[in-house]
Amino acid sequence: MASAYPGSEFPMSGTPESQYVPSHNYTKKFAPSHYPDIHYNGYAPPPTEPIGPNSHRYPEGEFVSPGFLQRINPALFMLPQAEIEWSYNLRRAAQRILPFLYLGPWSCLSNQQWLRDEGITLLLGVRDQRLAQSRLFSGQKAAAAGGIESDSFDIANNSDAIARLPAAIRRINDHIYPALNPETGELMPTKKVLVFCETGNGLSALVVVSYCMVMLNMTLSQALNFIHSQRFCIDMEDGLKPMLAAFEDLLTAKQDVERSNRAGAGSSLTVPHAAMLSKKRSFADQVDDEFMYDDMEMEASKPPAPFQDRRG
């Protein structure tokens, strides 16, 4: 970019000696983003139902284990009331999305003091399968140093990622399932999960967005807006957002099936069977039917004729 005046920008094609031919008007505007509209001023968390058995729209056992929704503390799913005041260096750190759920890059695992201070108990890595084969971006070393758990989801391709999202969501919920102290019988302290990938902006964000869609009944647009308000640098544009759109369609289908199953289970207890509601048939009708069935059985039992009469 040539500069005609100090401190100003001027397109190279605009200079008399330039060999470049302008193909479009020069503009300082940024390329438009394909994200849903994000309200940076006056942020308000998207409306969500209190977590409980009636808020979950999926069969118990797929995303949560039996009893999870009855025992979990709803306060763990309280949304932050303000967006984070973002600065560039925060992309190298992890951000708290929910009271027990964090999202960040692999590099933040080296900060053992931060992991202890936040009370992280599970490092959940999401990686491209090729990186897994190279043993890159693993949380095992950091987990061993801190005496905490480590796990990973290694994704081969887009369809594999969509298929594995339910298992990733279930893994998070299984980890935070309320446990009792075997000695005192009291609830153990709440466990916390850090979901990470190489940058904290791609595959790990994919899992956290999906988690909010399932557990908080957010639409894709709401979940993207919410996660973006807490970790501004997430990037769902290149291939990941279409995967989330496909996952949203899958969730809608699962909700429809579960809604139908619940409606059927409720109606079967109160509504008589359709056969019981049919009009009672008269005795004469039943007798006529018996004669008709007898005639049909007799016709069926007759041996076939050895020839047919072709006269007439």
Side-chain angles (χ1 to χ4, degrees), residues 267-306:
S267 61
S268 64
L269 300 177
T270 57
V271 180
H273 192 273
M276 298 175 64
L277 297 178
S278 62
K279 182 180 178 181
K280 188 174 182 180
R281 304 174 71 241
S282 66
F283 175 75
D285 291 336
Q286 297 179 34
V287 172
D288 290 343
D289 284 350
E290 290 176 1
F291 280 116
M292 181 182 68
Y293 292 139
D294 289 343
D295 292 343
M296 292 173 62
E297 290 178 358
M298 290 178 64
E299 288 293 332
S301 62
K302 287 182 180 179

Side-chain angles (χ1 to χ4, degrees), residues 55-90:
S55 69
H56 198 62
R57 301 175 182 175
Y58 310 95
E60 195 174 45
E62 181 169 9
F63 296 111
V64 298
S65 58
F68 176 90
L69 296 166
Q70 287 77 11
R71 298 183 61 180
I72 197 68
N73 183 0
L76 291 178
F77 290 87
M78 294 292 292
L79 301 184
Q81 297 303 303
E83 64 181 351
I84 193 170
E85 189 173 339
W86 189 257
S87 59
Y88 182 82
N89 64 304
L90 288 178

Side-chain angles (χ1 to χ4, degrees), residues 53-290:
N54 296 328
S55 69
H56 198 62
R57 301 175 182 175
Y58 310 95
E60 195 174 45
E62 181 169 9
F63 296 111
V64 298
S65 58
F68 176 90
L69 296 166
Q70 287 77 11
R71 298 183 61 180
I72 197 68
N73 183 0
L76 291 178
F77 290 87
M78 294 292 292
L79 301 184
Q81 297 303 303
E83 64 181 351
I84 193 170
E85 189 173 339
W86 189 257
S87 59
Y88 182 82
N89 64 304
L90 288 178
R91 66 190 295 119
R92 302 187 183 94
Q95 283 74 46
R96 182 170 63 182
I97 306 301
L98 293 171
F100 66 92
L101 186 62
Y102 294 70
L103 172 63
W106 173 77
S107 59
C108 72
L109 272 59
S110 61
N111 191 341
Q112 284 287 324
Q113 186 62 48
W114 178 84
L115 294 175
R116 286 192 295 270
D117 291 345
E118 294 297 323
I120 303 297
T121 53
L122 172 63
L123 302 177
L124 183 61
V126 190
R127 304 177 296 183
D128 185 289
Q129 195 173 66
R130 291 167 295 182
L131 297 177
Q133 293 170 352
S134 302
R135 299 183 179 181
L136 296 175
F137 306 112
S138 169
Q140 292 181 355
K141 184 177 180 180
I148 59 179
E149 291 185 46
S150 174
D151 203 349
S152 65
F153 281 84
D154 302 327
I155 296 171
N157 48 52
N158 289 3
S159 60
D160 182 52
I162 296 172
R164 292 175 64 80
L165 283 175
I169 294 169
R170 175 67 184 267
R171 179 66 176 93
I172 294 172
N173 286 330
D174 284 349
H175 183 73
I176 66 169
Y177 189 95
L180 296 177
N181 188 317
E183 297 180 358
T184 64
E186 298 178 351
L187 281 175
M188 299 283 285
T190 301
K191 295 182 177 181
K192 296 182 179 180
V193 182
L194 168 61
V195 183
F196 70 92
C197 62
E198 179 182 0
T199 63
N201 303 328
L203 290 175
S204 57
L206 176 79
V207 169
V208 174
V209 169
S210 302
Y211 185 88
C212 291
M213 291 169 66
V214 169
M215 299 304 298
L216 298 171
N217 295 321
M218 290 182 179
T219 64
L220 173 56
S221 176
Q222 289 174 333
L224 282 174
N225 277 314
F226 167 54
I227 304 302
H228 203 268
S229 73
Q230 304 304 306
R231 183 168 173 81
F232 185 77
C233 57
I234 66 167
D235 183 11
M236 294 286 102
E237 293 297 345
D238 295 333
L240 295 181
K241 191 174 178 183
M243 292 164 58
L244 283 169
F247 186 65
E248 184 176 38
D249 291 340
L250 178 65
L251 293 181
T252 300
K254 288 179 180 291
Q255 290 176 11
D256 291 342
V257 171
E258 180 63 11
R259 189 183 304 113
S260 177
N261 290 340
R262 292 180 184 180
S267 61
S268 64
L269 300 177
T270 57
V271 180
H273 192 273
M276 298 175 64
L277 297 178
S278 62
K279 182 180 178 181
K280 188 174 182 180
R281 304 174 71 241
S282 66
F283 175 75
D285 291 336
Q286 297 179 34
V287 172
D288 290 343
D289 284 350
E290 290 176 1

Side-chain angles (χ1 to χ4, degrees), residues 32-53:
S33 171
H34 297 289
Y35 280 108
D37 292 336
I38 299 172
H39 304 288
Y40 299 110
N41 298 318
Y43 164 81
T48 57
E49 304 174 55
I51 291 294

